[in-house]
Each structure stands twice: as structure tokens, then as C-alpha cells.
């Protein structure tokens, strides 16, 4: 039998309460980030610079470790470091004592995250670090903690209230941990001049990977390019446009250099009884936008967006070697 209970609906009051709660959370966490930025402008700045320099000069990798919520943040920091050119991986603090210490070499640097700095499980890593003289960077809110005292460098995060109304659930604290990890990764990236092309080596998949490919990877070439010579009748140009299905035709001179382009928009703007009998020279838009095949796809998207166009010619030494259409980029997941 159908239930006779009325459907539950969310009142406008509860919606307002949820939004207010969200705003309080964001404001509290923003306060933590602002406190961290203020600390970096002060004494923490010199310590931060030492940590970055230690990692930069390390022969091995950065071993990022943590437990609980700090462990989740540590995993993210390791991933960010690795993807931006600093070899790094995550080691779970508790698993270290059960064989994972073998992942750590004397050429590495350990970055240990613990808000309190008093996690018993961290003792194994601390002892291992001391025994084999593996430098350790502690990221904690308590420099005088067991972890802080054992570390070579202590990045002491400002004490800030959690967004949780009971000041218990790690929220602001984890936000600050991941923020300092991002700051370290970007400082290392900028310090070594890490380029977008290098970034592409580590991101071959997904939309990032697609945007870090080149124009030559997406352009149509050869017989797929809609092209006609100067002096061609518009009737022939329209046939070429229809046959190639890109909504345009490139006009070239005898040397194969692009001198103009005719688009669907040009046809509409020049619609008249004798349109098909005149030459392309009267209708084409001169000096068409073009890009080199070596340009990054992300830069090509910017050219399309800025020009509010859907098609780009690809040229080398002014000669047309390809054409790119926005629809092709959409299918490839670039745009």
C-alpha cells in the first residue's frame, strides 16, 4: 500500500541555516589560511625557506607521512609534489613499522605531518630518521612536541580554531596542512623553472593531459583542409566548404601562403544575388588568425576564446599545414 506519510520538504529556514553554516566554515578556514600567511611573513618564513632548500638539494625523494586526517593530507601533498617535478610518495605512519621503512633511503627527506606532534605511531619513523641520519621536516602546530623536538626543521603552523563548532573535527587544521604543502611544491616548481612542457610529461591523461598536447596533435591536415586559391569563384569555394564540413575555406596564394579565410559568417554578411559569381578575393577576411603546430593546446584555446572564433588555421613559414576546429577540441576533451 502507498505510504500515507507526507513527503519531507526542506524549509527555507533550514536552507538558510545550511548556507550560514557553510559561510561560517569557510570564514573559519579562511582565518586559518590568513594566519598561516601572516606567519610566513614573519619568523616562519625563514624556516619555510630552509625546508624548501633541504628538499631541493636532496638526492632522493620526499617521503610524506601522516596518520588519520593528517595522513590524507600527506597523501595529497605527495601527489602534488610528484606531479610538479619533485619526486615524492606517501608512506602511512602506522605501516612504516611493518616493512614500509624499506621504502625510505638515506638520500631521502621525510616530511611528517601531525597537528599535535604526539602520535605514538610516529615514533618508529622518528627513530629510523635518527638512526640513518635521514633529515626530517615536521609540519605541526606544536614545535615543542616529541615530533617537533626530533625533527631537523619544524614548520610550526599557527594554532587556529577548527570549523567544527566543538573545535574537534580536523577542518581548519587540515586546510592549513595542505596549503603549506602546496606552497612548498610551488616554491620548488618555480625555483627550478619547471615548465608546462615538463608538467605534460606527468599528466598525459584526462583534460590536463589533453590541454598539454600540441596543436599538431589536433589539427586536420592534407585533403581534410578546406582550401582554394585566390581568384576562385565563390561557387567553387562554397562547394569546398560544404564538402569539408568545417564551415570555412582557407584562401591561399600561389606559394601556398594563407591570405584569407571565408566562413559561414562571411557568407551571411555578404549575401547578395551575385554572391556565387564573384571571386573569393571580394568576400574573404584578410590576414586570418593562425597558430603554429608547436603551440600548446591550452594556448590555442585562449586564442579561440579571445578571438571568439571556432576555427584556426595552422601555419609554418606562412604556409598552411593544418586547420583546427573547436568541435574537434570538444571531442578530444580539450575545450
Amino acid at each position: 500500500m502507498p505510504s500515507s506519510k507526507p513527503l519531507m520538504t526542506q524549509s527555507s529556514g533550514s536552507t538558510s541555516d545550511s548556507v550560514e553554516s557553510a559561510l561560517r566554515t569557510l570564514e573559519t578556514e579562511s582565518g586559518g589560511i590568513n594566519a598561516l600567511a601572516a606567519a610566513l611573513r614573519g619568523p616562519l618564513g625563514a624556516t619555510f625557506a630552509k625546508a624548501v632548500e633541504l628538499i631541493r638539494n636532496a638526492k632522493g625523494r620526499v617521503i610524506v607521512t601522516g596518520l588519520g586526517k593528517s595522513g590524507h593530507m600527506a597523501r595529497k601533498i605527495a601527489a602534488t609534489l610528484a606531479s610538479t617535478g619533485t619526486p615524492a610518495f606517501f608512506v602511512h605512519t602506522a605501516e612504516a613499522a611493518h616493512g614500509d621503512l624499506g621504502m625510505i633511503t638515506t638520500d631521502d627527506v621525510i616530511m611528517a605531518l601531525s597537528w599535535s606532534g604526539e602520535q605514538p605511531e610516529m615514533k618508529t619513523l622518528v627513530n629510523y630518521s635518527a638512526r640513518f641520519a635521514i633529515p626530517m621536516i615536521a609540519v605541526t602546530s606544536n614545535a615543542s612536541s616529541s615530533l617537533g623536538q626530533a625533527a631537523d626543521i619544524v614548520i610550526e603552523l599557527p594554532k587556529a580554531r577548527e570549523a567544527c563548532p566543538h573545535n574537534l573535527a580536523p577542518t581548519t587544521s587540515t586546510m592549513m596542512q595542505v596549503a603549506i604543502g602546496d606552497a612548498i611544491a610551488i616554491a620548488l616548481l618555480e625555483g627550478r623553472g619547471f615548465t608546462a612542457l615538463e608538467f605534460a610529461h606527468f599528466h598525459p591523461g584526462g583534460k590536463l593531459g589533453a590541454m598539454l598536447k600540441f596543436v599538431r596533435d589536433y589539427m586536420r591536415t592534407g585533403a581534410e583542409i578546406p582550401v582554394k586559391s585566390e581568384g576562385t569563384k565563390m561557387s567553387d569555394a562554397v562547394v569546398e566548404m560544404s564538402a569539408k564540413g568545417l564551415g570555412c575555406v582557407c584562401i591561399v596564394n600561389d606559394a601556398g601562403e594563407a591570405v584569407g579565410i571565408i566562413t559561414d559568417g562571411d557568407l551571411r554578411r555578404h549575401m547578395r544575388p551575385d554572391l556565387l559569381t564573384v571571386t573569393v578575393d571580394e568576400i574573404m577576411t584578410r590576414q586570418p588568425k593562425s597558430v603554429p603546430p608547436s603551440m600548446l593546446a591550452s594556448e590555442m584555446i585562449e586564442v579561440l576564446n579571445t578571438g571568439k572564433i571556432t576555427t584556426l588555421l595552422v601555419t609554418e613559414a606562412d604556409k598552411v599545414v593544418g586547420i583546427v576546429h573547436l568541435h574537434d577540441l570538444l571531442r578530444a576533451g580539450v575545450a
Side-chain angles (χ1 to χ4, degrees):
M1 292 179 62
S3 174
S4 59
K5 293 182 180 180
L7 292 174
M8 296 290 289
T9 57
Q10 187 178 45
S11 67
S12 59
S14 64
T15 300
S16 176
D17 290 345
S18 297
V19 173
E20 288 301 317
S21 174
L23 290 172
R24 284 194 299 272
T25 297
L26 294 175
E27 287 168 2
T28 303
E29 292 185 347
S30 296
I33 298 298
N34 290 336
L36 180 56
L40 282 168
R41 294 188 185 97
L44 183 59
T47 304
F48 177 88
K50 289 179 182 178
V52 170
E53 192 64 18
L54 176 63
I55 294 172
R56 181 183 291 120
N57 293 330
K59 296 179 181 179
R61 304 142 304 173
V62 182
I63 311 302
V64 195
T65 187
L67 194 68
K69 301 298 185 295
S70 294
H72 293 303
M73 297 306 103
R75 190 183 295 276
K76 188 275 178 191
I77 291 170
T80 299
L81 286 166
S83 71
T84 52
T86 301
F89 64 86
F90 170 75
V91 171
H92 193 283
T93 303
E95 295 292 342
H98 299 277
D100 285 358
L101 286 175
M103 299 179 180
I104 307 171
T105 75
T106 54
D107 289 332
D108 297 335
V109 173
I110 298 172
M111 184 189 299
L113 276 66
S114 172
W115 187 251
S116 67
E118 295 293 351
Q119 290 172 324
E121 296 88 350
M122 194 69 74
K123 186 176 180 180
T124 298
L125 271 167
V126 168
N127 291 340
Y128 191 78
S129 168
R131 180 183 178 187
F132 293 100
I134 302 170
M136 175 179 282
I137 300 167
V139 180
T140 178
S141 68
N142 187 2
S144 61
S145 64
S146 300
L147 177 62
Q149 291 178 345
D152 299 273
I153 297 175
V154 182
I155 296 178
E156 187 174 22
L157 303 179
K159 292 179 174 63
R161 183 175 179 82
E162 302 287 9
C164 164
H166 310 298
N167 197 29
L168 294 174
T171 46
T172 308
S173 57
T174 52
M175 184 68 69
M176 294 166 70
Q177 286 176 329
V178 78
I180 201 69
D182 286 345
I184 290 171
I186 299 305
L188 289 164
L189 178 155
E190 292 179 343
R192 69 166 59 89
F194 191 75
T195 67
L197 294 181
E198 291 174 291
F199 192 80
H201 295 321
F202 304 121
H203 294 79
K207 186 170 183 177
L208 268 179
M211 293 187 71
L212 290 168
K213 289 185 179 180
F214 299 94
V215 169
R216 61 173 172 265
D217 296 316
Y218 299 106
M219 69 184 189
R220 301 191 186 196
T221 61
E224 293 183 292
I225 305 172
V227 61
K228 284 294 179 181
S229 301
E230 291 178 296
T232 301
K233 288 286 184 67
M234 276 300 299
S235 55
D236 292 335
V238 170
V239 170
E240 178 75 354
M241 288 176 65
S242 301
K244 300 300 170 63
L246 293 179
C248 68
V249 59
C250 173
I251 309 303
V252 298
N253 59 21
D254 292 339
E257 299 168 336
V259 295
I261 192 170
I262 298 173
T263 66
D264 290 334
D266 291 321
L267 294 182
R268 290 191 294 272
R269 285 187 290 272
H270 292 87
M271 187 61 66
R272 62 196 201 204
D274 65 340
L275 175 63
L276 296 180
T277 62
V278 301
T279 64
V280 294
D281 307 62
E282 297 181 45
I283 306 300
M284 69 182 182
T285 297
R286 298 182 182 276
Q287 297 180 330
K289 291 185 181 295
S290 65
V291 294
S294 58
M295 177 181 279
L296 281 173
S298 56
E299 296 174 313
M300 173 177 56
I301 293 293
E302 182 63 25
V303 174
L304 288 168
N305 289 336
T306 302
K308 297 180 180 179
I309 54 178
T310 58
T311 308
L312 272 174
L313 299 180
V314 184
T315 59
E316 276 188 314
D318 294 327
K319 294 188 178 182
V320 179
V321 295
I323 189 168
V324 178
H325 195 280
L326 180 60
H327 291 168
D328 294 331
L329 302 177
L330 288 170
R331 280 191 289 269
V334 182

